[in-house]
Amino acid sequence: MSGWEGFLHGLSVALQPEVLIYCVFGVVLGTFVGVLPGIGAMATISLLLPITYYLSPEAALIMLAGVYYGSQYGGAVASILLRLPGTPQSAVTTLDGYPLAQQGRAGVALFTSMTSSFLGSFFGIAVLIVLSGFLSRAATAFGAADYAAMMILGLVAASTIGAKHPAKGLAMVVLGLILGCVGTDVNSGAQRFTFGQAELMDGVNLVALAMGLFGVAEVIANIQVAERTGVPRRIAMRDLLPSREELKRIPFPALRGASLGSFFGALPGTGSTISSFLAYATERRISRHPEKFGHGAVEGVAGPEAANNAAAISAFVPTLTLGIPGDPIMALMLGALVIHGVQPGPLMLEARPDMFWGLIASFGIGNLLLLILNLPLIGIWVSMLRIPFRWLYPAILIFVCLGVYSVRGAPFDIFAVALIGAIGYALSLARFNPALLLLGFVLGPLIETNLRRALLISRGDPMIFLERPISAVFVAAIVALILVSVVQAMRRVRPA
């Protein structure tokens, strides 16, 4: 079926009562965790992974996706009101959103943020519908060598593009690949890195790893954070309405931001954070009054918010059609699919059309719900900022223990998640990015499978990666990225 026919078919899946309930739950929870700085979508999706074992694959993925793009909406609330980004993507929103709040126009900033997020999301949905069929058809020409090279390129790109310390990023990816090798070898039955522990024979538990790195580690990191002050008591509905002149200044920046977000979101290794900063820089550059930016320009809110929401949707393009997660949250989504025995990739449109198109249709339903719910409920989200950390984080730790134990009923996993959390906190203190470890862990087994398959086809000849045109292009891109990173590192250490 064509893209738009598939979307209409997906609506019939997404509007099923069970799926719709989990969609609403996901977007509301996503907004909640986006509003609260220090939690975020990554930790929340990690906590929800055990629940997905008891849901249908469609409901599970739609719920997790709702948390992801719902957090993009919620992240702007704390950024605008308190200058505390609820998510990394909303950090740039503080530049003009907070000055607007200081001028007594917090409602206008929140209205601009939410409507721009809505426009950006629907732009990303259109891009996803158009590109999905094309990429899936193109990817059917890929062989095992092409897939292996493409996944390695995704890992290298994620750890080097825009990174201050590419070597640290690559080190995290390699550590993730090593952890992905733990367990029983599928072909030979040999035990790898299990150290005699029967609990490791099936490999490192993805739920324990994700909860430890992004749940326990976040709690440890925020133990000494001061309680939030200066939370507004109330924002009336009439305060949300901008002037007619401000309304005219919202649509075009939102469309430009959505275009940038859709493009960069679909590229592995870039993501919505880069998109939002580029959108802000673009609006400031083309504005007739650049001096207003940083002092409460609505364009400085509209562009970045549209960009990060469009990027959040288009990030599903490589994940679903190629099986390549564009960022660590997409890696968690990929892990959730693997838990349910679903293999993302070019054949997913044919093998699981209900899941594929149901997910895309749920984006439209979820974003419409977010717009309808968030504007009237903005007072509730503001009041959530008053929840003390001393209540919030013990509850998170309890949910972590319950969640990780419910997967296999093994006490070993509780100790593992505590150890992983401590290691994750230590890595963040040393300025390593634990998210890249998760990316390597999820893609590691897929790379190994395709690498072995390619070498079996070529009878052990590694030249197959250079003889096939598609994989040769990917290998050239990998080499180029590494060389650029090496050159940049040498320039930084060179004395002036």
Short mmCIF file of all heavy atoms in Angstrom, two decimals, residues 283-330:
data_model
loop_
_atom_site.label_atom_id
_atom_site.label_comp_id
_atom_site.label_asym_id
_atom_site.label_seq_id
_atom_site.Cartn_x
_atom_site.Cartn_y
_atom_site.Cartn_z
N GLU A 283 17.15 31.32 12.59
CA GLU A 283 16.18 32.41 12.82
C GLU A 283 16.89 33.70 13.18
O GLU A 283 16.50 34.78 12.73
CB GLU A 283 15.20 32.01 13.93
CG GLU A 283 14.25 30.89 13.55
CD GLU A 283 13.52 31.17 12.26
OE1 GLU A 283 13.02 32.30 12.07
OE2 GLU A 283 13.45 30.26 11.42
N ARG A 284 17.92 33.61 13.98
CA ARG A 284 18.65 34.82 14.36
C ARG A 284 19.37 35.42 13.17
O ARG A 284 19.44 36.66 13.04
CB ARG A 284 19.64 34.48 15.47
CG ARG A 284 20.33 35.70 16.05
CD ARG A 284 21.13 35.35 17.29
NE ARG A 284 21.71 36.53 17.89
CZ ARG A 284 22.35 36.54 19.05
NH1 ARG A 284 22.46 35.42 19.74
NH2 ARG A 284 22.86 37.65 19.54
N ARG A 285 19.86 34.56 12.29
CA ARG A 285 20.63 35.06 11.14
C ARG A 285 19.73 35.76 10.13
O ARG A 285 20.12 36.78 9.55
CB ARG A 285 21.37 33.90 10.49
CG ARG A 285 22.28 34.32 9.33
CD ARG A 285 23.10 33.12 8.86
NE ARG A 285 23.96 32.60 9.92
CZ ARG A 285 24.64 31.47 9.83
NH1 ARG A 285 24.55 30.72 8.75
NH2 ARG A 285 25.40 31.06 10.83
N ILE A 286 18.54 35.24 9.89
CA ILE A 286 17.68 35.81 8.84
C ILE A 286 16.74 36.88 9.38
O ILE A 286 16.03 37.53 8.59
CB ILE A 286 16.85 34.71 8.15
CG1 ILE A 286 15.82 34.10 9.12
CG2 ILE A 286 17.74 33.64 7.56
CD1 ILE A 286 14.91 33.09 8.47
N SER A 287 16.72 37.09 10.68
CA SER A 287 15.81 38.07 11.27
C SER A 287 16.23 39.49 10.93
O SER A 287 17.43 39.81 10.84
CB SER A 287 15.75 37.90 12.79
OG SER A 287 14.99 38.92 13.38
N ARG A 288 15.23 40.36 10.76
CA ARG A 288 15.51 41.79 10.54
C ARG A 288 15.91 42.48 11.84
O ARG A 288 16.46 43.58 11.81
CB ARG A 288 14.27 42.47 9.96
CG ARG A 288 13.90 41.98 8.57
CD ARG A 288 12.65 42.70 8.07
NE ARG A 288 12.27 42.24 6.74
CZ ARG A 288 11.19 42.66 6.09
NH1 ARG A 288 10.39 43.57 6.65
NH2 ARG A 288 10.91 42.19 4.89
N HIS A 289 15.61 41.83 12.96
CA HIS A 289 15.94 42.42 14.26
C HIS A 289 16.64 41.37 15.13
O HIS A 289 16.10 40.90 16.14
CB HIS A 289 14.67 42.90 14.96
CG HIS A 289 13.89 43.91 14.18
ND1 HIS A 289 14.29 45.22 14.06
CD2 HIS A 289 12.75 43.78 13.44
CE1 HIS A 289 13.43 45.88 13.30
NE2 HIS A 289 12.48 45.02 12.90
N PRO A 290 17.86 40.99 14.75
CA PRO A 290 18.58 39.96 15.53
C PRO A 290 18.89 40.39 16.96
O PRO A 290 19.13 39.55 17.82
CB PRO A 290 19.86 39.73 14.72
CG PRO A 290 20.04 40.99 13.92
CD PRO A 290 18.66 41.48 13.61
N GLU A 291 18.87 41.70 17.20
CA GLU A 291 19.18 42.18 18.55
C GLU A 291 18.10 41.80 19.56
O GLU A 291 18.34 41.82 20.78
CB GLU A 291 19.35 43.71 18.54
CG GLU A 291 18.09 44.52 18.30
CD GLU A 291 17.69 44.62 16.83
OE1 GLU A 291 18.43 44.07 15.97
OE2 GLU A 291 16.65 45.24 16.56
N LYS A 292 16.91 41.42 19.07
CA LYS A 292 15.82 41.04 19.98
C LYS A 292 15.98 39.61 20.50
O LYS A 292 15.36 39.24 21.49
CB LYS A 292 14.47 41.17 19.27
CG LYS A 292 14.07 42.60 18.97
CD LYS A 292 12.66 42.65 18.37
CE LYS A 292 12.23 44.09 18.12
NZ LYS A 292 10.87 44.15 17.53
N PHE A 293 16.81 38.82 19.81
CA PHE A 293 17.01 37.44 20.25
C PHE A 293 17.80 37.42 21.55
O PHE A 293 18.79 38.14 21.70
CB PHE A 293 17.73 36.62 19.17
CG PHE A 293 16.82 36.18 18.05
CD1 PHE A 293 16.37 37.09 17.11
CD2 PHE A 293 16.39 34.88 17.96
CE1 PHE A 293 15.53 36.70 16.08
CE2 PHE A 293 15.53 34.48 16.95
CZ PHE A 293 15.11 35.39 16.00
N GLY A 294 17.35 36.59 22.47
CA GLY A 294 17.94 36.57 23.81
C GLY A 294 17.24 37.50 24.76
O GLY A 294 17.57 37.54 25.96
N HIS A 295 16.27 38.26 24.25
CA HIS A 295 15.52 39.21 25.09
C HIS A 295 14.01 38.98 24.99
O HIS A 295 13.24 39.87 25.36
CB HIS A 295 15.86 40.65 24.69
CG HIS A 295 17.31 40.98 24.81
ND1 HIS A 295 17.93 41.23 26.02
CD2 HIS A 295 18.29 41.06 23.87
CE1 HIS A 295 19.21 41.47 25.82
NE2 HIS A 295 19.46 41.38 24.53
N GLY A 296 13.59 37.84 24.44
CA GLY A 296 12.17 37.53 24.41
C GLY A 296 11.56 37.54 23.02
O GLY A 296 10.43 38.00 22.85
N ALA A 297 12.27 37.04 22.00
CA ALA A 297 11.72 36.96 20.63
C ALA A 297 10.94 35.66 20.49
O ALA A 297 11.46 34.57 20.80
CB ALA A 297 12.85 37.02 19.60
N VAL A 298 9.68 35.74 20.03
CA VAL A 298 8.88 34.52 19.89
C VAL A 298 9.47 33.60 18.83
O VAL A 298 9.31 32.37 18.90
CB VAL A 298 7.41 34.85 19.56
CG1 VAL A 298 6.73 35.52 20.73
CG2 VAL A 298 7.30 35.69 18.30
N GLU A 299 10.19 34.16 17.83
CA GLU A 299 10.82 33.32 16.81
C GLU A 299 11.88 32.40 17.43
O GLU A 299 12.11 31.29 16.96
CB GLU A 299 11.48 34.18 15.74
CG GLU A 299 10.52 35.04 14.95
CD GLU A 299 10.34 36.42 15.54
OE1 GLU A 299 10.59 36.58 16.75
OE2 GLU A 299 9.95 37.34 14.79
N GLY A 300 12.52 32.88 18.51
CA GLY A 300 13.53 32.09 19.20
C GLY A 300 12.95 30.93 19.98
O GLY A 300 13.70 30.03 20.41
N VAL A 301 11.64 30.93 20.18
CA VAL A 301 10.95 29.80 20.81
C VAL A 301 10.34 28.91 19.74
O VAL A 301 10.44 27.68 19.80
CB VAL A 301 9.87 30.30 21.78
CG1 VAL A 301 9.09 29.12 22.37
CG2 VAL A 301 10.49 31.12 22.90
N ALA A 302 9.71 29.52 18.73
CA ALA A 302 8.97 28.75 17.72
C ALA A 302 9.89 27.86 16.90
O ALA A 302 9.60 26.66 16.69
CB ALA A 302 8.22 29.71 16.79
N GLY A 303 11.00 28.39 16.39
CA GLY A 303 11.90 27.61 15.53
C GLY A 303 12.49 26.40 16.22
O GLY A 303 12.35 25.26 15.73
N PRO A 304 13.16 26.57 17.37
CA PRO A 304 13.76 25.41 18.04
C PRO A 304 12.74 24.37 18.49
O PRO A 304 13.00 23.16 18.41
CB PRO A 304 14.46 26.04 19.25
CG PRO A 304 14.74 27.44 18.84
CD PRO A 304 13.57 27.84 17.98
N GLU A 305 11.57 24.80 18.99
CA GLU A 305 10.57 23.84 19.45
C GLU A 305 10.02 23.01 18.29
O GLU A 305 9.80 21.81 18.42
CB GLU A 305 9.44 24.57 20.19
CG GLU A 305 9.81 24.99 21.59
CD GLU A 305 10.15 23.81 22.49
OE1 GLU A 305 9.34 22.87 22.58
OE2 GLU A 305 11.25 23.81 23.08
N ALA A 306 9.76 23.67 17.15
CA ALA A 306 9.31 22.92 15.97
C ALA A 306 10.40 21.95 15.51
O ALA A 306 10.12 20.82 15.10
CB ALA A 306 8.94 23.88 14.85
N ALA A 307 11.66 22.39 15.57
CA ALA A 307 12.78 21.56 15.11
C ALA A 307 12.94 20.30 15.97
O ALA A 307 13.07 19.19 15.43
CB ALA A 307 14.08 22.37 15.13
N ASN A 308 12.91 20.46 17.31
CA ASN A 308 13.17 19.26 18.12
C ASN A 308 12.02 18.27 18.07
O ASN A 308 12.21 17.07 18.18
CB ASN A 308 13.57 19.63 19.56
CG ASN A 308 12.46 20.23 20.38
OD1 ASN A 308 11.34 19.77 20.39
ND2 ASN A 308 12.79 21.29 21.13
N ASN A 309 10.78 18.75 17.86
CA ASN A 309 9.66 17.82 17.74
C ASN A 309 9.63 17.13 16.38
O ASN A 309 9.29 15.95 16.30
CB ASN A 309 8.35 18.56 18.01
CG ASN A 309 8.08 18.75 19.48
OD1 ASN A 309 7.47 17.92 20.13
ND2 ASN A 309 8.58 19.86 20.02
N ALA A 310 9.97 17.85 15.32
CA ALA A 310 10.06 17.22 14.00
C ALA A 310 11.17 16.18 13.99
O ALA A 310 11.02 15.09 13.42
CB ALA A 310 10.31 18.27 12.93
N ALA A 311 12.29 16.50 14.66
CA ALA A 311 13.41 15.56 14.72
C ALA A 311 13.05 14.31 15.52
O ALA A 311 13.48 13.20 15.19
CB ALA A 311 14.64 16.24 15.33
N ALA A 312 12.25 14.50 16.59
CA ALA A 312 11.83 13.34 17.40
C ALA A 312 11.01 12.36 16.58
O ALA A 312 11.13 11.14 16.77
CB ALA A 312 11.03 13.83 18.60
N ILE A 313 10.19 12.87 15.66
CA ILE A 313 9.38 11.99 14.82
C ILE A 313 10.21 11.37 13.70
O ILE A 313 10.17 10.16 13.47
CB ILE A 313 8.18 12.77 14.22
CG1 ILE A 313 7.29 13.33 15.33
CG2 ILE A 313 7.38 11.87 13.29
CD1 ILE A 313 6.63 12.31 16.21
N SER A 314 10.99 12.20 13.00
CA SER A 314 11.75 11.68 11.86
C SER A 314 12.89 10.76 12.29
O SER A 314 13.43 10.02 11.46
CB SER A 314 12.30 12.84 11.01
OG SER A 314 13.16 13.66 11.77
N ALA A 315 13.25 10.77 13.58
CA ALA A 315 14.28 9.84 14.07
C ALA A 315 13.83 8.39 13.93
O ALA A 315 14.67 7.48 13.93
CB ALA A 315 14.61 10.14 15.53
N PHE A 316 12.52 8.18 13.80
CA PHE A 316 12.01 6.82 13.61
C PHE A 316 12.25 6.30 12.19
O PHE A 316 12.09 5.11 11.94
CB PHE A 316 10.51 6.77 13.91
CG PHE A 316 10.18 6.76 15.38
CD1 PHE A 316 10.05 7.94 16.07
CD2 PHE A 316 10.02 5.56 16.05
CE1 PHE A 316 9.75 7.95 17.43
CE2 PHE A 316 9.73 5.56 17.41
CZ PHE A 316 9.59 6.76 18.10
N VAL A 317 12.61 7.19 11.25
CA VAL A 317 12.82 6.76 9.86
C VAL A 317 13.93 5.70 9.77
O VAL A 317 13.69 4.58 9.30
CB VAL A 317 13.11 7.95 8.94
CG1 VAL A 317 13.51 7.48 7.55
CG2 VAL A 317 11.89 8.87 8.84
N PRO A 318 15.18 6.00 10.20
CA PRO A 318 16.21 4.95 10.10
C PRO A 318 15.96 3.78 11.04
O PRO A 318 16.36 2.65 10.74
CB PRO A 318 17.51 5.70 10.46
CG PRO A 318 17.06 6.85 11.29
CD PRO A 318 15.72 7.25 10.75
N THR A 319 15.31 4.03 12.18
CA THR A 319 15.08 2.95 13.15
C THR A 319 14.13 1.89 12.60
O THR A 319 14.40 0.69 12.68
CB THR A 319 14.51 3.52 14.46
OG1 THR A 319 15.38 4.54 14.95
CG2 THR A 319 14.37 2.42 15.51
N LEU A 320 13.03 2.33 12.01
CA LEU A 320 12.02 1.38 11.53
C LEU A 320 12.35 0.81 10.15
O LEU A 320 12.11 -0.36 9.90
CB LEU A 320 10.65 2.07 11.48
CG LEU A 320 10.06 2.51 12.84
CD1 LEU A 320 8.73 3.23 12.62
CD2 LEU A 320 9.88 1.34 13.77
N THR A 321 12.87 1.65 9.25
CA THR A 321 13.06 1.19 7.88
C THR A 321 14.40 0.50 7.66
O THR A 321 14.51 -0.35 6.78
CB THR A 321 12.94 2.37 6.90
OG1 THR A 321 13.93 3.36 7.22
CG2 THR A 321 11.57 3.01 6.97
N LEU A 322 15.42 0.87 8.44
CA LEU A 322 16.75 0.29 8.25
C LEU A 322 17.21 -0.53 9.45
O LEU A 322 18.20 -1.26 9.35
CB LEU A 322 17.78 1.39 7.96
CG LEU A 322 17.50 2.29 6.76
CD1 LEU A 322 18.55 3.39 6.68
CD2 LEU A 322 17.48 1.49 5.48
N GLY A 323 16.52 -0.39 10.58
CA GLY A 323 16.97 -1.07 11.79
C GLY A 323 18.18 -0.41 12.42
O GLY A 323 18.90 -1.04 13.19
N ILE A 324 18.39 0.88 12.12
CA ILE A 324 19.54 1.63 12.64
C ILE A 324 19.01 2.73 13.56
O ILE A 324 18.41 3.69 13.09
CB ILE A 324 20.38 2.27 11.52
CG1 ILE A 324 20.78 1.23 10.49
CG2 ILE A 324 21.59 2.98 12.09
CD1 ILE A 324 21.68 0.17 11.03
N PRO A 325 19.21 2.64 14.88
CA PRO A 325 18.74 3.70 15.77
C PRO A 325 19.56 4.96 15.60
O PRO A 325 20.79 4.91 15.60
CB PRO A 325 18.90 3.10 17.17
CG PRO A 325 19.94 2.05 17.02
CD PRO A 325 19.83 1.52 15.62
N GLY A 326 18.88 6.09 15.45
CA GLY A 326 19.59 7.34 15.24
C GLY A 326 20.15 7.93 16.52
O GLY A 326 21.06 8.74 16.48
N ASP A 327 19.60 7.55 17.67
CA ASP A 327 20.10 8.06 18.95
C ASP A 327 19.82 7.01 20.02
O ASP A 327 19.18 5.99 19.76
CB ASP A 327 19.47 9.41 19.29
CG ASP A 327 17.95 9.34 19.38
OD1 ASP A 327 17.42 8.32 19.86
OD2 ASP A 327 17.28 10.31 18.97
N PRO A 328 20.32 7.22 21.25
CA PRO A 328 20.15 6.20 22.30
C PRO A 328 18.70 5.87 22.62
O PRO A 328 18.37 4.73 22.95
CB PRO A 328 20.86 6.83 23.51
CG PRO A 328 21.89 7.73 22.90
CD PRO A 328 21.26 8.28 21.67
N ILE A 329 17.80 6.86 22.56
CA ILE A 329 16.39 6.56 22.84
C ILE A 329 15.83 5.64 21.76
O ILE A 329 15.06 4.71 22.04
CB ILE A 329 15.57 7.86 22.94
CG1 ILE A 329 16.02 8.66 24.16
CG2 ILE A 329 14.07 7.56 23.04
CD1 ILE A 329 15.25 9.93 24.40
N MET A 330 16.23 5.86 20.51
CA MET A 330 15.81 4.96 19.44
C MET A 330 16.39 3.57 19.65
O MET A 330 15.79 2.56 19.26
CB MET A 330 16.25 5.52 18.08
CG MET A 330 15.49 6.75 17.61
SD MET A 330 13.74 6.44 17.38
CE MET A 330 13.08 7.24 18.83
#
